[in-house]
Amino acid sequence: MRKSIATVSLSGSLSEKLTAAAGAGFDGVEIFENDLIASPLNPEEVRRRAADLGLTIDLYQPFRDFEADPSDDVLDRNLRRAERKFAVMERLGADLLLVCSSVSPAAIDDDALAAEHLHALAERARRHGIRIAYEALAWGRHVSTYDHAWRIVELADHPALGTCLDSFHILSRDSDPKGIEEIPGEKIFFLQLADAPRIAMDVLQWSRHYRCFPGQGGFDVAGLASLAVHAGYAGPLSLEVFNDVFRQADASRTAVDAMRSLRALEDSTGLAPLPAPVVPAGVAFAELAVADTEPLHGMLAALGFSRTGRHSAKPVELWEQGEARVLLNTAPSAGHSVPSSGAGREGPALAAIGLETADPTASVRRAEALLAPVLPRRRTAGEAPLDAVAAPDGTELFFCRTRWPGHATWTDDFEPVPHEPAEPVGISRIDHIALTQPWHHFDEASLFYRSVLGLHADESLDIADPYGLFRSRAMANADGSLRIALSVAPGPGDPGVPLQHIALATDDAVAAARRLRERGAALLPVPANYYDDLDARHEPAPAELATLRELGILYDRDEYGEFRHFYTATVGRFFFEIVQRTGGYRGYGAHNATVRLAAQHSNVTR
Amino acid sequence: MRKSIATVSLSGSLSEKLTAAAGAGFDGVEIFENDLIASPLNPEEVRRRAADLGLTIDLYQPFRDFEADPSDDVLDRNLRRAERKFAVMERLGADLLLVCSSVSPAAIDDDALAAEHLHALAERARRHGIRIAYEALAWGRHVSTYDHAWRIVELADHPALGTCLDSFHILSRDSDPKGIEEIPGEKIFFLQLADAPRIAMDVLQWSRHYRCFPGQGGFDVAGLASLAVHAGYAGPLSLEVFNDVFRQADASRTAVDAMRSLRALEDSTGLAPLPAPVVPAGVAFAELAVADTEPLHGMLAALGFSRTGRHSAKPVELWEQGEARVLLNTAPSAGHSVPSSGAGREGPALAAIGLETADPTASVRRAEALLAPVLPRRRTAGEAPLDAVAAPDGTELFFCRTRWPGHATWTDDFEPVPHEPAEPVGISRIDHIALTQPWHHFDEASLFYRSVLGLHADESLDIADPYGLFRSRAMANADGSLRIALSVAPGPGDPGVPLQHIALATDDAVAAARRLRERGAALLPVPANYYDDLDARHEPAPAELATLRELGILYDRDEYGEFRHFYTATVGRFFFEIVQRTGGYRGYGAHNATVRLAAQHSNVTR
């Protein structure tokens, strides 16, 4: 279907917004009135600019507080006001005007009067070749539901009058969208899509600050869009998103995020299927960009990793233990391909993740269809092909098939290096990777990982750092063999130190911790107070408590099982975690993150 | 009264929080459990640290989900958990434990059982010399109002059991606080104070993220505190504020802001009166710090200002027109005395404001009592004394009495300079001064201006910039002769360009604009689309509309009168506005700010 975006969803001047929308492949735009008013371009110039960019102007909006005021004088003034806007629309070349339900205290609850007024408006519009789309605001004075708005449109019965459906206004009120099927498709003049996180707050504030693109919030926007299409709606899918973050973000990037959300919506509803996701089945490797490998050598060795290979063409080392593989890349070009979270080059930074996939080519096709930047293939003479895309934070995602009999794989590019095998500590694989996201790309990243890789997302959590709050959200595949934990500082500034880490899985955290301590590995100290509280909360057996306390192991449990975990000291802004899941524990020890963050502050940054 | 603060209200490690609380003059603290758990200091060390700083530990909190679970097993485990906490409290030297009403789904609605459980808890506490303060959480499962909590405490009837009142939990539910007077004062074991902006949202989220210090939100916290004191409460006034911004702000500074809020509360309730505010009666001068006066000379001259004086000891010029006085200060030390909003030295920055006051000494006494940093008196041989304090953003506030027969005044320090008087354009005085605040000091600044200067505040407004949203709040004295408009970018990062400006009052904006245009003054262009919309919205007479359009004057009206205004081009991040108020218009043309911001972006920064 055709795809549009309201100019209010993007930041910048009107001209910048149009350029960004066209760049992301949108077919049209809704012109938000304030964007036009504030623009130095006159309507004819805007019309030309849009046409040059291949954009249609699908809607002009909003026209407020029109209907159902019993004063004839007010009606006359409102019609005069409308004529002024019709004149602007004719200059713009826009033929559809959004009228939203009145919030005026003077409006009365009289559907017949509202219909009569809208009929008069539509008749005047018709003379200008303009149509009217009437929409119920969730906080409209008397008309606040889509079915009510539709009843008035039906009553008014004018060919130039239809309704506009907005997923936010419908779903934020918990209205049942099934009634959309009762509306003749040709009377749905416009469909505006927006998602929002499920938060209980004043609906006006919620609408004006917290909307997000479909798939980034908690509403079933796709289901609603399907209903409208099945009812016969044939206009564009249009995004109207008021969001404080998008207002400050780069418009071109937001537009791509927006287009990805519509493509994912069309895919999930079957309106326009994309290549199916190939859900990764684990982590092939994690690659750290480092200026100097030295600080990590000791740590990796202490953790029981052996340096098993060296890349034949690049300054990259391979370290292995069980199925856990870590690459250290000292190439100056290593690392994020787009501006990143600021992890910087001063210490190790997670630059790439190898994802185990059954079909790397299909994985890239899916990613490409969802507008992930495909990176130049890493392939030199003798190298195996490696397909990769860039995640929103710049992390490179490589689609790998580590064991693929008869095919070259990425490990073939590494020449074995003679090594004294390290004494392992029982690490079997990478349990999860924790990436700190730039604050204004968190929702984008969350949609990206879910839609491109087919992961499912946990709820967002707030975690208290001594110097701020972090929002955290984990993504995983069905069997938990791939887990990515995204975190972000929701507030401005730099609340403490955003850290990245790799969590390594073991079957015996106690044995691993004991061996690491024997080797003198630098582990993060855990305050004694933590264990006093753990005793009060969870009543572990005294012997177990003593062991946890002695070894600095943290503990958590959920309804499925238990979690024992501990951390290395940080190197720059990076550290390792060692985790043991028993009995199907699903979390990440979030309860303990506050203690970890405080310890990291007092041991590293202060 | 004694003053306490909960450690959760301040950022940093527990040790940093204690230091900040003591530094701001608090008598005691509430220890928030997670702060202790995450601290490397053991309870004995915390006790010693607090004692060294002269702080008592007034409360340990919170103890959750204790009462009214019918399972004996759960009761046993809860009592065991409490014993563990009593042990920690004995080590801390804390003798009061906050128990908040249960949110457990297993709790039943049975006051007798809740009272029985709390009686058992209090009896055990008593053996340790500990008392229990039971508090109703606004979202408690069965107990969510303070009067209900008090009924249960009364029923339990144990000397070691009392109630804790928290202004947020009471006022967020719109409970009538009058019932506090019915509670015997000695059974109010603790009083926690927090304010909050009036926003309709889930009360738990509201409580955890948006609390603020008394006087910074919309609740009558002072009235509630008075009721408790009149009921006989003799414990500390204690601030418990969960706030995302404070979590990231400097703890010492937040602690001072907190103490100022309690002193203002004690003053306004008569509990501990401070020197009365001397409300300023106007702006004596506005001082701009500039690296170079040249860019402003042309603009001031075009605006009809004459350079009338030069400071006898400092590189400061005085420019005058009517009662509007602007100082240009090129001293390298000019400008903000504390880290500021980042207006920087690259262009003019508002460094100081002279406030007309009937009694400069009394003004300073008030400011000092409210912890405003008093600046070293500007006085050299032959100079008039000038009393000044620093506002939270570093702006220096000078208390002046420009015309004071028989006394030296600040104007005496300026030597007249020979000048060709500029042809005035009808500027009579400074209408308002707009200061952009650092994002994390907005509420602090708002409380500062209100409490120190006795100004009243308008509601906060959101204003859309092409690259973000601004929050804006104006403060004024009763007759509008002093107006200060504070604005802030509520989100992270730098949303567009934070600008400062001085608004100059005229009785005839049309004449002023015409004269300025004749002189070729650099004015901000207003898009033609603005006038098309103005026509639709306000239906000005065609001749008036033509004049406004021709001269680039913006227009607004409210129920009291009309507003005509226009802007100069920006110099660096500074500009002038010329405003004409007629008929008692009270606003600042906020509706037009979006157009102004867009024009400034397209003309200056892009």
Side-chain angles (χ1 to χ4, degrees):
Chain A
M1 296 179 75
R2 287 172 45 79
K3 297 180 186 67
S4 290
I5 188 164
T7 54
V8 74
S9 314
L10 300 170
S11 79
S13 67
L14 181 54
S15 178
E16 289 170 328
K17 290 168 190 241
L18 296 176
T19 305
F26 280 92
D27 305 296
V29 291
E30 305 175 25
I31 299 276
F32 186 67
E33 180 164 275
N34 279 348
D35 285 325
L36 178 71
I37 292 172
S39 174
L41 303 181
N42 67 33
E44 291 81 0
E45 289 166 333
V46 172
R47 175 185 202 153
R48 233 170 2 249
R49 184 96 188 90
D52 286 350
L53 290 163
L55 292 170
T56 53
I57 296 177
D58 295 327
L59 186 75
Y60 185 77
Q61 63 121 323
F63 191 74
R64 298 186 189 278
D65 295 336
F66 171 75
E67 80 285 8
D69 188 311
S71 153
D72 284 344
D73 184 47
V74 170
L75 177 63
D76 286 348
R77 276 194 276 129
N78 281 338
L79 288 171
R80 175 188 181 281
R81 179 160 64 96
E83 290 286 356
R84 293 291 187 279
K85 297 303 173 187
F86 295 155
V88 169
M89 290 174 67
E90 288 186 289
R91 297 169 64 197
L92 267 178
D95 64 1
L96 187 60
L97 174 67
L98 177 77
V99 173
C100 45
S101 59
S102 180
V103 300
S104 165
I108 61 171
D109 188 8
D110 183 338
D111 287 2
L113 186 65
E116 183 189 318
H117 288 175
L118 287 167
H119 188 282
L121 182 69
E123 179 52 28
R124 286 173 185 243
R126 194 191 50 76
R127 292 178 211 151
H128 297 271
I130 287 172
R131 297 183 309 150
I132 303 293
Y134 179 60
E135 170 187 77
L137 294 178
W139 54 90
R141 184 148 178 95
H142 300 294
V143 179
S144 57
T145 60
Y146 76 94
D147 46 315
H148 191 179
W150 162 239
R151 283 200 305 278
I152 291 171
V153 166
E154 207 174 13
L155 199 60
D157 190 26
H158 190 286
L161 179 68
T163 190
C164 172
L165 300 176
D166 180 309
S167 63
F168 180 87
H169 290 300
I170 297 169
L171 299 173
S172 65
R173 292 185 55 102
D174 278 326
S175 293
D176 183 352
K178 285 294 282 181
I180 291 171
E181 291 181 314
E182 314 295 317
I183 306 175
E186 70 277 9
K187 292 302 270 185
I188 305 174
F189 280 7
F190 211 71
L191 176 61
Q192 293 179 313
L193 300 178
D195 203 343
R198 289 218 166 260
I199 39 182
M201 69 184 298
D202 172 69
V203 68
L204 177 64
Q205 294 302 316
W206 191 17
S207 172
R208 295 224 170 131
H209 301 284
Y210 295 97
R211 290 186 181 211
C212 53
F213 296 129
Q216 297 180 347
F219 293 159
D220 181 13
V221 180
L224 185 144
S226 280
L227 289 169
V229 171
H230 290 141
Y233 173 69
L237 300 176
S238 190
L239 296 166
E240 189 199 24
V241 169
F242 300 81
N243 181 293
D244 291 354
V245 173
F246 296 167
R247 283 179 187 275
Q248 295 176 60
D250 174 68
S252 306
R253 181 166 185 158
T254 305
V256 168
D257 184 25
M259 179 54 82
R260 180 180 300 128
S261 113
L262 281 185
R263 291 206 184 171
L265 181 149
E266 286 192 318
D267 178 50
S268 70
T269 53
L271 292 170
L274 302 176
V278 186
V279 182
V283 178
F285 63 82
E287 179 175 322
L288 295 166
V290 286
D292 174 19
T293 58
E294 182 49 35
L296 282 177
H297 276 187
M299 185 175 281
L300 283 166
L303 285 168
F305 281 79
S306 299
R307 181 167 50 175
T308 57
R310 181 171 288 119
H311 197 278
S312 50
K314 302 192 194 104
V316 181
E317 299 177 356
L318 168 61
W319 290 72
E320 295 189 76
Q321 180 176 192
E323 295 289 314
R325 299 175 202 95
V326 174
L327 306 185
L328 301 185
N329 187 341
T330 51
S333 63
H336 297 164
S337 54
V338 297
S340 92
S341 56
R345 294 308 309 256
E346 72 281 3
L350 264 162
I353 304 173
L355 299 167
E356 290 288 356
T357 164
D359 186 346
T361 311
S363 293
V364 170
R365 269 203 307 271
R366 168 82 180 177
E368 204 168 5
L370 286 162
L371 305 172
V374 176
L375 301 174
R377 266 197 167 182
R378 275 200 195 175
R379 181 179 213 163
T380 56
E383 280 188 66
L386 255 184
D387 295 293
V389 299
D393 70 350
T395 304
E396 298 178 356
L397 302 180
F398 286 88
F399 297 109
C400 319
R401 195 160 161 183
T402 304
R403 302 187 199 293
W404 199 2
H407 291 76
T409 82
W410 67 273
T411 53
D412 298 339
D413 296 335
F414 287 83
E415 291 160 4
V417 293
H419 64 278
E420 194 76 28
E423 195 197 335
V425 304
I427 302 300
S428 54
R429 57 182 197 83
I430 290 178
D431 181 86
H432 64 273
I433 291 176
L435 296 170
T436 302
Q437 300 298 299
W439 68 270
H440 47 320
H441 298 148
F442 189 69
D443 289 334
E444 177 188 353
S446 147
L447 175 63
F448 178 92
Y449 284 106
R450 283 181 295 149
S451 63
V452 171
L453 302 182
L455 304 182
H456 62 82
D458 291 350
E459 289 299 297
S460 282
L461 298 174
D462 281 342
I463 294 174
D465 175 276
Y467 302 94
L469 280 182
F470 281 91
R471 194 148 61 104
S472 176
R473 190 170 196 188
M475 319 267 150
N477 63 6
D479 68 0
S481 60
L482 173 64
R483 298 173 189 265
I484 295 173
L486 304 179
S487 67
V488 73
D494 181 6
V497 183
L499 297 162
Q500 297 178 317
H501 79 267
I502 297 173
L504 303 165
T506 178
D507 288 338
D508 190 342
V510 167
R514 204 175 291 284
R515 249 172 272 162
L516 286 175
R517 289 192 177 269
E518 282 161 10
R519 290 178 195 179
L523 300 181
L524 189 75
V526 178
N529 301 331
Y530 171 79
Y531 295 99
D532 295 339
D533 180 62
L534 185 63
D535 181 26
R537 278 190 300 126
H538 282 311
E539 302 180 43
E544 158 113 35
L545 182 65
T547 302
L548 297 176
R549 191 192 289 267
E550 176 203 344
L551 297 172
I553 297 174
L554 298 148
Y555 176 88
D556 191 28
R557 68 175 171 233
D558 65 12
E559 56 188 303
Y560 308 102
E562 292 178 305
F563 193 56
R564 289 175 181 79
H565 60 140
F566 60 96
Y567 307 96
T568 67
T570 54
V571 177
R573 285 139 90 101
F574 176 81
F575 64 96
F576 288 102
E577 179 180 10
I578 292 86
V579 313
Q580 177 191 0
R581 296 173 185 273
T582 49
Y585 174 88
R586 295 195 181 173
Y588 298 81
H591 184 91
N592 298 326
T594 297
V595 169
R596 191 250 299 165
L597 287 161
Q600 286 172 331
H601 277 291
S602 64
N603 280 275
V604 180
T605 64
R606 303 259 152 178
Chain B
M1 294 178 77
R2 287 173 45 79
K3 298 180 187 65
S4 290
I5 187 165
T7 54
V8 74
S9 314
L10 301 170
S11 81
S13 68
L14 181 54
S15 178
E16 289 170 328
K17 291 167 190 239
L18 296 177
T19 305
F26 280 92
D27 305 296
V29 291
E30 305 174 26
I31 299 276
F32 187 66
E33 180 164 274
N34 278 349
D35 285 324
L36 178 70
I37 291 172
S39 174
L41 303 181
N42 67 32
E44 292 80 1
E45 289 165 332
V46 173
R47 175 187 201 152
R48 235 174 355 252
R49 184 95 189 90
D52 286 350
L53 291 164
L55 292 170
T56 52
I57 296 177
D58 295 328
L59 185 75
Y60 185 78
Q61 63 120 323
F63 192 74
R64 298 187 191 277
D65 294 336
F66 172 75
E67 81 284 7
D69 187 311
S71 153
D72 284 345
D73 186 46
V74 171
L75 178 63
D76 286 348
R77 275 193 277 130
N78 280 339
L79 288 170
R80 175 189 181 281
R81 179 160 62 96
E83 289 287 354
R84 293 291 186 279
K85 297 303 174 187
F86 294 155
V88 169
M89 290 174 66
E90 287 186 290
R91 296 168 64 195
L92 268 178
D95 64 2
L96 186 60
L97 175 67
L98 177 77
V99 174
C100 44
S101 59
S102 180
V103 299
S104 166
I108 60 171
D109 188 9
D110 182 338
D111 286 2
L113 186 66
E116 183 190 320
H117 287 176
L118 287 167
H119 188 282
L121 182 69
E123 180 52 28
R124 284 172 187 244
R126 193 192 49 77
R127 291 178 212 150
H128 297 272
I130 286 173
R131 298 183 308 151
I132 303 292
Y134 179 61
E135 171 187 77
L137 293 179
W139 54 90
R141 187 151 177 91
H142 301 293
V143 179
S144 57
T145 60
Y146 77 94
D147 47 315
H148 191 178
W150 163 239
R151 285 200 305 277
I152 292 171
V153 166
E154 206 174 13
L155 199 62
D157 191 26
H158 191 286
L161 180 69
T163 192
C164 172
L165 301 176
D166 180 309
S167 63
F168 180 87
H169 290 299
I170 297 169
L171 300 174
S172 65
R173 292 185 56 101
D174 279 325
S175 293
D176 182 352
K178 286 293 284 180
I180 291 172
E181 291 180 314
E182 314 295 316
I183 307 175
E186 71 278 8
K187 293 301 270 187
I188 305 175
F189 280 8
F190 210 71
L191 176 62
Q192 293 179 313
L193 301 178
D195 203 343
R198 289 219 168 258
I199 39 181
M201 69 183 299
D202 173 67
V203 69
L204 177 64
Q205 294 303 317
W206 191 17
S207 172
R208 295 224 171 132
H209 301 284
Y210 295 98
R211 290 185 181 210
C212 53
F213 296 129
Q216 297 181 346
F219 293 158
D220 181 13
V221 181
L224 186 146
S226 281
L227 289 170
V229 172
H230 291 141
Y233 173 68
L237 300 176
S238 190
L239 297 166
E240 189 199 23
V241 170
F242 300 82
N243 182 293
D244 290 355
V245 172
F246 297 167
R247 283 179 187 275
Q248 296 175 60
D250 174 68
S252 306
R253 182 165 183 159
T254 305
V256 168
D257 183 25
M259 179 55 82
R260 179 180 301 129
S261 116
L262 281 185
R263 289 206 185 170
L265 183 149
E266 286 191 319
D267 178 50
S268 69
T269 53
L271 291 171
L274 301 176
V278 185
V279 182
V283 178
F285 63 82
E287 179 175 322
L288 296 167
V290 286
D292 173 19
T293 57
E294 181 49 36
L296 283 177
H297 276 188
M299 184 175 281
L300 283 166
L303 284 168
F305 281 80
S306 300
R307 180 167 50 175
T308 57
R310 181 172 287 121
H311 197 278
S312 51
K314 303 192 191 104
V316 180
E317 299 177 355
L318 168 61
W319 291 71
E320 295 189 77
Q321 180 176 192
E323 295 289 313
R325 300 175 203 93
V326 175
L327 306 184
L328 302 185
N329 188 339
T330 51
S333 63
H336 297 165
S337 54
V338 297
S340 91
S341 56
R345 294 308 307 258
E346 72 280 8
L350 262 163
I353 304 173
L355 299 167
E356 291 287 356
T357 164
D359 186 345
T361 310
S363 293
V364 169
R365 270 203 305 271
R366 169 81 180 178
E368 203 168 5
L370 286 162
L371 306 171
V374 176
L375 301 174
R377 268 197 166 183
R378 276 200 195 176
R379 182 178 211 163
T380 56
E383 281 188 67
L386 256 185
D387 296 293
V389 299
D393 70 351
T395 303
E396 298 178 357
L397 303 179
F398 286 88
F399 298 107
C400 318
R401 194 162 163 184
T402 304
R403 303 188 197 292
W404 198 1
H407 290 77
T409 82
W410 67 275
T411 53
D412 298 338
D413 295 336
F414 287 83
E415 291 161 4
V417 294
H419 63 281
E420 193 77 25
E423 195 197 334
V425 304
I427 302 300
S428 54
R429 59 182 196 83
I430 290 177
D431 181 86
H432 65 274
I433 290 175
L435 296 169
T436 302
Q437 301 297 298
W439 67 269
H440 47 317
H441 298 149
F442 190 69
D443 288 335
E444 177 188 353
S446 148
L447 175 63
F448 178 93
Y449 284 106
R450 283 181 295 148
S451 63
V452 171
L453 302 184
L455 303 183
H456 64 83
D458 291 350
E459 289 299 296
S460 283
L461 299 175
D462 281 342
I463 294 172
D465 174 276
Y467 302 94
L469 280 182
F470 281 92
R471 194 149 61 104
S472 176
R473 189 169 197 188
M475 320 267 149
N477 63 7
D479 67 0
S481 59
L482 173 63
R483 299 173 189 264
I484 295 173
L486 304 179
S487 67
V488 72
D494 181 6
V497 181
L499 297 162
Q500 298 178 317
H501 77 267
I502 297 173
L504 303 166
T506 179
D507 287 338
D508 190 342
V510 168
R514 206 176 291 283
R515 249 172 273 164
L516 286 174
R517 289 190 178 270
E518 283 161 9
R519 291 177 194 179
L523 300 181
L524 189 74
V526 178
N529 301 328
Y530 170 79
Y531 295 98
D532 295 339
D533 180 62
L534 185 64
D535 180 26
R537 278 190 300 127
H538 282 310
E539 303 178 43
E544 157 113 35
L545 182 66
T547 302
L548 297 177
R549 191 192 290 266
E550 174 203 346
L551 298 172
I553 298 173
L554 298 148
Y555 176 88
D556 192 26
R557 67 175 173 234
D558 65 11
E559 56 189 303
Y560 308 103
E562 292 179 306
F563 193 57
R564 289 173 181 80
H565 59 140
F566 60 96
Y567 307 96
T568 67
T570 54
V571 177
R573 286 139 87 102
F574 176 81
F575 64 96
F576 287 100
E577 179 181 10
I578 292 86
V579 313
Q580 177 192 359
R581 296 175 184 273
T582 49
Y585 174 88
R586 295 196 181 174
Y588 298 82
H591 184 90
N592 299 326
T594 297
V595 169
R596 191 248 304 162
L597 288 160
Q600 286 172 333
H601 277 291
S602 63
N603 281 276
V604 180
T605 64
R606 303 257 150 178

